[in-house]
mmCIF file with all atom_site columns, all heavy atoms in Angstrom:
data_model
loop_
_atom_site.group_PDB
_atom_site.id
_atom_site.type_symbol
_atom_site.label_atom_id
_atom_site.label_alt_id
_atom_site.label_comp_id
_atom_site.label_asym_id
_atom_site.label_entity_id
_atom_site.label_seq_id
_atom_site.pdbx_PDB_ins_code
_atom_site.Cartn_x
_atom_site.Cartn_y
_atom_site.Cartn_z
_atom_site.occupancy
_atom_site.B_iso_or_equiv
_atom_site.pdbx_formal_charge
_atom_site.auth_seq_id
_atom_site.auth_comp_id
_atom_site.auth_asym_id
_atom_site.auth_atom_id
_atom_site.pdbx_PDB_model_num
ATOM 1  N N   . ARG A 1 274 ? 99.693  136.166 90.951 1.00 81.00 ? 450 ARG A N   1
ATOM 2  C CA  . ARG A 1 274 ? 98.693  135.690 90.010 1.00 81.00 ? 450 ARG A CA  1
ATOM 3  C C   . ARG A 1 274 ? 97.306  136.082 90.539 1.00 81.00 ? 450 ARG A C   1
ATOM 4  O O   . ARG A 1 274 ? 97.066  136.112 91.736 1.00 81.00 ? 450 ARG A O   1
ATOM 5  C CB  . ARG A 1 274 ? 98.771  134.146 89.914 1.00 81.00 ? 450 ARG A CB  1
ATOM 6  C CG  . ARG A 1 274 ? 98.196  133.533 88.640 1.00 81.00 ? 450 ARG A CG  1
ATOM 7  C CD  . ARG A 1 274 ? 98.891  132.210 88.350 1.00 81.00 ? 450 ARG A CD  1
ATOM 8  N NE  . ARG A 1 274 ? 98.841  131.308 89.467 1.00 81.00 ? 450 ARG A NE  1
ATOM 9  C CZ  . ARG A 1 274 ? 97.867  130.389 89.627 1.00 81.00 ? 450 ARG A CZ  1
ATOM 10 N NH1 . ARG A 1 274 ? 96.838  130.301 88.785 1.00 81.00 ? 450 ARG A NH1 1
ATOM 11 N NH2 . ARG A 1 274 ? 97.875  129.596 90.669 1.00 81.00 ? 450 ARG A NH2 1
ATOM 12 N N   . VAL A 1 275 ? 96.402  136.424 89.622 1.00 85.00 ? 451 VAL A N   1
ATOM 13 C CA  . VAL A 1 275 ? 95.035  136.765 90.019 1.00 85.00 ? 451 VAL A CA  1
ATOM 14 C C   . VAL A 1 275 ? 94.052  136.052 89.132 1.00 85.00 ? 451 VAL A C   1
ATOM 15 O O   . VAL A 1 275 ? 94.247  135.931 87.935 1.00 85.00 ? 451 VAL A O   1
ATOM 16 C CB  . VAL A 1 275 ? 94.777  138.291 89.857 1.00 85.00 ? 451 VAL A CB  1
ATOM 17 C CG1 . VAL A 1 275 ? 93.363  138.660 90.417 1.00 85.00 ? 451 VAL A CG1 1
ATOM 18 C CG2 . VAL A 1 275 ? 95.839  139.156 90.510 1.00 85.00 ? 451 VAL A CG2 1
ATOM 19 N N   . THR A 1 276 ? 93.028  135.406 89.803 1.00 83.00 ? 452 THR A N   1
ATOM 20 C CA  . THR A 1 276 ? 91.948  134.846 88.987 1.00 83.00 ? 452 THR A CA  1
ATOM 21 C C   . THR A 1 276 ? 90.638  135.491 89.513 1.00 83.00 ? 452 THR A C   1
ATOM 22 O O   . THR A 1 276 ? 90.526  135.896 90.665 1.00 83.00 ? 452 THR A O   1
ATOM 23 C CB  . THR A 1 276 ? 91.839  133.323 89.175 1.00 83.00 ? 452 THR A CB  1
ATOM 24 O OG1 . THR A 1 276 ? 91.763  133.024 90.580 1.00 83.00 ? 452 THR A OG1 1
ATOM 25 C CG2 . THR A 1 276 ? 93.038  132.583 88.584 1.00 83.00 ? 452 THR A CG2 1
ATOM 26 N N   . ARG A 1 277 ? 89.669  135.608 88.588 1.00 85.00 ? 453 ARG A N   1
ATOM 27 C CA  . ARG A 1 277 ? 88.418  136.266 88.918 1.00 85.00 ? 453 ARG A CA  1
ATOM 28 C C   . ARG A 1 277 ? 87.274  135.257 88.734 1.00 85.00 ? 453 ARG A C   1
ATOM 29 O O   . ARG A 1 277 ? 87.263  134.508 87.801 1.00 85.00 ? 453 ARG A O   1
ATOM 30 C CB  . ARG A 1 277 ? 88.243  137.510 88.001 1.00 85.00 ? 453 ARG A CB  1
ATOM 31 C CG  . ARG A 1 277 ? 86.970  138.273 88.181 1.00 85.00 ? 453 ARG A CG  1
ATOM 32 C CD  . ARG A 1 277 ? 87.038  139.628 87.458 1.00 85.00 ? 453 ARG A CD  1
ATOM 33 N NE  . ARG A 1 277 ? 87.596  139.528 86.101 1.00 85.00 ? 453 ARG A NE  1
ATOM 34 C CZ  . ARG A 1 277 ? 86.836  139.270 84.995 1.00 85.00 ? 453 ARG A CZ  1
ATOM 35 N NH1 . ARG A 1 277 ? 85.556  139.162 85.128 1.00 85.00 ? 453 ARG A NH1 1
ATOM 36 N NH2 . ARG A 1 277 ? 87.444  139.244 83.821 1.00 85.00 ? 453 ARG A NH2 1
ATOM 37 N N   . ASP A 1 278 ? 86.387  135.225 89.701 1.00 82.00 ? 454 ASP A N   1
ATOM 38 C CA  . ASP A 1 278 ? 85.182  134.415 89.503 1.00 82.00 ? 454 ASP A CA  1
ATOM 39 C C   . ASP A 1 278 ? 83.939  135.214 90.025 1.00 82.00 ? 454 ASP A C   1
ATOM 40 O O   . ASP A 1 278 ? 84.099  136.398 90.393 1.00 82.00 ? 454 ASP A O   1
ATOM 41 C CB  . ASP A 1 278 ? 85.268  133.047 90.212 1.00 82.00 ? 454 ASP A CB  1
ATOM 42 C CG  . ASP A 1 278 ? 85.600  133.161 91.682 1.00 82.00 ? 454 ASP A CG  1
ATOM 43 O OD1 . ASP A 1 278 ? 85.189  134.195 92.299 1.00 82.00 ? 454 ASP A OD1 1
ATOM 44 O OD2 . ASP A 1 278 ? 86.250  132.264 92.237 1.00 82.00 ? 454 ASP A OD2 1
ATOM 45 N N   . ALA A 1 279 ? 82.808  134.532 90.074 1.00 82.00 ? 455 ALA A N   1
ATOM 46 C CA  . ALA A 1 279 ? 81.562  135.270 90.381 1.00 82.00 ? 455 ALA A CA  1
ATOM 47 C C   . ALA A 1 279 ? 81.601  135.890 91.762 1.00 82.00 ? 455 ALA A C   1
ATOM 48 O O   . ALA A 1 279 ? 81.033  136.960 92.018 1.00 82.00 ? 455 ALA A O   1
ATOM 49 C CB  . ALA A 1 279 ? 80.370  134.333 90.282 1.00 82.00 ? 455 ALA A CB  1
ATOM 50 N N   . GLU A 1 280 ? 82.298  135.252 92.665 1.00 83.00 ? 456 GLU A N   1
ATOM 51 C CA  . GLU A 1 280 ? 82.312  135.738 94.067 1.00 83.00 ? 456 GLU A CA  1
ATOM 52 C C   . GLU A 1 280 ? 83.345  136.836 94.324 1.00 83.00 ? 456 GLU A C   1
ATOM 53 O O   . GLU A 1 280 ? 83.280  137.514 95.354 1.00 83.00 ? 456 GLU A O   1
ATOM 54 C CB  . GLU A 1 280 ? 82.474  134.617 95.039 1.00 83.00 ? 456 GLU A CB  1
ATOM 55 C CG  . GLU A 1 280 ? 81.194  133.873 95.332 1.00 83.00 ? 456 GLU A CG  1
ATOM 56 C CD  . GLU A 1 280 ? 81.368  132.374 95.377 1.00 83.00 ? 456 GLU A CD  1
ATOM 57 O OE1 . GLU A 1 280 ? 82.252  131.917 96.169 1.00 83.00 ? 456 GLU A OE1 1
ATOM 58 O OE2 . GLU A 1 280 ? 80.729  131.707 94.549 1.00 83.00 ? 456 GLU A OE2 1
ATOM 59 N N   . GLY A 1 281 ? 84.323  136.934 93.455 1.00 87.00 ? 457 GLY A N   1
ATOM 60 C CA  . GLY A 1 281 ? 85.341  137.916 93.727 1.00 87.00 ? 457 GLY A CA  1
ATOM 61 C C   . GLY A 1 281 ? 86.662  137.534 93.062 1.00 87.00 ? 457 GLY A C   1
ATOM 62 O O   . GLY A 1 281 ? 86.718  136.870 92.065 1.00 87.00 ? 457 GLY A O   1
ATOM 63 N N   . LEU A 1 282 ? 87.787  137.903 93.776 1.00 88.00 ? 458 LEU A N   1
ATOM 64 C CA  . LEU A 1 282 ? 89.130  137.649 93.258 1.00 88.00 ? 458 LEU A CA  1
ATOM 65 C C   . LEU A 1 282 ? 89.885  136.682 94.098 1.00 88.00 ? 458 LEU A C   1
ATOM 66 O O   . LEU A 1 282 ? 89.793  136.680 95.372 1.00 88.00 ? 458 LEU A O   1
ATOM 67 C CB  . LEU A 1 282 ? 89.880  138.970 93.186 1.00 88.00 ? 458 LEU A CB  1
ATOM 68 C CG  . LEU A 1 282 ? 89.258  140.113 92.337 1.00 88.00 ? 458 LEU A CG  1
ATOM 69 C CD1 . LEU A 1 282 ? 90.089  141.402 92.495 1.00 88.00 ? 458 LEU A CD1 1
ATOM 70 C CD2 . LEU A 1 282 ? 89.132  139.729 90.873 1.00 88.00 ? 458 LEU A CD2 1
ATOM 71 N N   . ARG A 1 283 ? 90.771  135.843 93.477 1.00 84.00 ? 459 ARG A N   1
ATOM 72 C CA  . ARG A 1 283 ? 91.657  134.964 94.190 1.00 84.00 ? 459 ARG A CA  1
ATOM 73 C C   . ARG A 1 283 ? 93.078  135.340 93.797 1.00 84.00 ? 459 ARG A C   1
ATOM 74 O O   . ARG A 1 283 ? 93.379  135.302 92.616 1.00 84.00 ? 459 ARG A O   1
ATOM 75 C CB  . ARG A 1 283 ? 91.404  133.502 93.779 1.00 84.00 ? 459 ARG A CB  1
ATOM 76 C CG  . ARG A 1 283 ? 90.101  132.968 94.375 1.00 84.00 ? 459 ARG A CG  1
ATOM 77 C CD  . ARG A 1 283 ? 89.845  131.585 93.803 1.00 84.00 ? 459 ARG A CD  1
ATOM 78 N NE  . ARG A 1 283 ? 88.967  130.863 94.711 1.00 84.00 ? 459 ARG A NE  1
ATOM 79 C CZ  . ARG A 1 283 ? 89.341  130.152 95.748 1.00 84.00 ? 459 ARG A CZ  1
ATOM 80 N NH1 . ARG A 1 283 ? 90.609  129.941 95.931 1.00 84.00 ? 459 ARG A NH1 1
ATOM 81 N NH2 . ARG A 1 283 ? 88.448  129.600 96.526 1.00 84.00 ? 459 ARG A NH2 1
ATOM 82 N N   . LEU A 1 284 ? 93.886  135.653 94.771 1.00 85.00 ? 460 LEU A N   1
ATOM 83 C CA  . LEU A 1 284 ? 95.239  136.098 94.434 1.00 85.00 ? 460 LEU A CA  1
ATOM 84 C C   . LEU A 1 284 ? 96.294  135.177 95.059 1.00 85.00 ? 460 LEU A C   1
ATOM 85 O O   . LEU A 1 284 ? 96.100  134.666 96.201 1.00 85.00 ? 460 LEU A O   1
ATOM 86 C CB  . LEU A 1 284 ? 95.489  137.488 95.021 1.00 85.00 ? 460 LEU A CB  1
ATOM 87 C CG  . LEU A 1 284 ? 94.605  138.650 94.561 1.00 85.00 ? 460 LEU A CG  1
ATOM 88 C CD1 . LEU A 1 284 ? 93.296  138.664 95.230 1.00 85.00 ? 460 LEU A CD1 1
ATOM 89 C CD2 . LEU A 1 284 ? 95.382  139.963 94.805 1.00 85.00 ? 460 LEU A CD2 1
ATOM 90 N N   . THR A 1 285 ? 97.310  134.912 94.338 1.00 82.00 ? 461 THR A N   1
ATOM 91 C CA  . THR A 1 285 ? 98.492  134.213 94.904 1.00 82.00 ? 461 THR A CA  1
ATOM 92 C C   . THR A 1 285 ? 99.474  135.319 95.259 1.00 82.00 ? 461 THR A C   1
ATOM 93 O O   . THR A 1 285 ? 99.927  136.041 94.383 1.00 82.00 ? 461 THR A O   1
ATOM 94 C CB  . THR A 1 285 ? 99.073  133.243 93.905 1.00 82.00 ? 461 THR A CB  1
ATOM 95 O OG1 . THR A 1 285 ? 98.027  132.433 93.393 1.00 82.00 ? 461 THR A OG1 1
ATOM 96 C CG2 . THR A 1 285 ? 100.119 132.360 94.576 1.00 82.00 ? 461 THR A CG2 1
#
Side-chain angles (χ1 to χ4, degrees):
Chain A
R450 203 152 53 91
V451 186
T452 54
R453 178 166 45 88
D454 55 30
E456 279 137 56
L458 303 175
R459 289 174 158 270
L460 299 79
T461 311

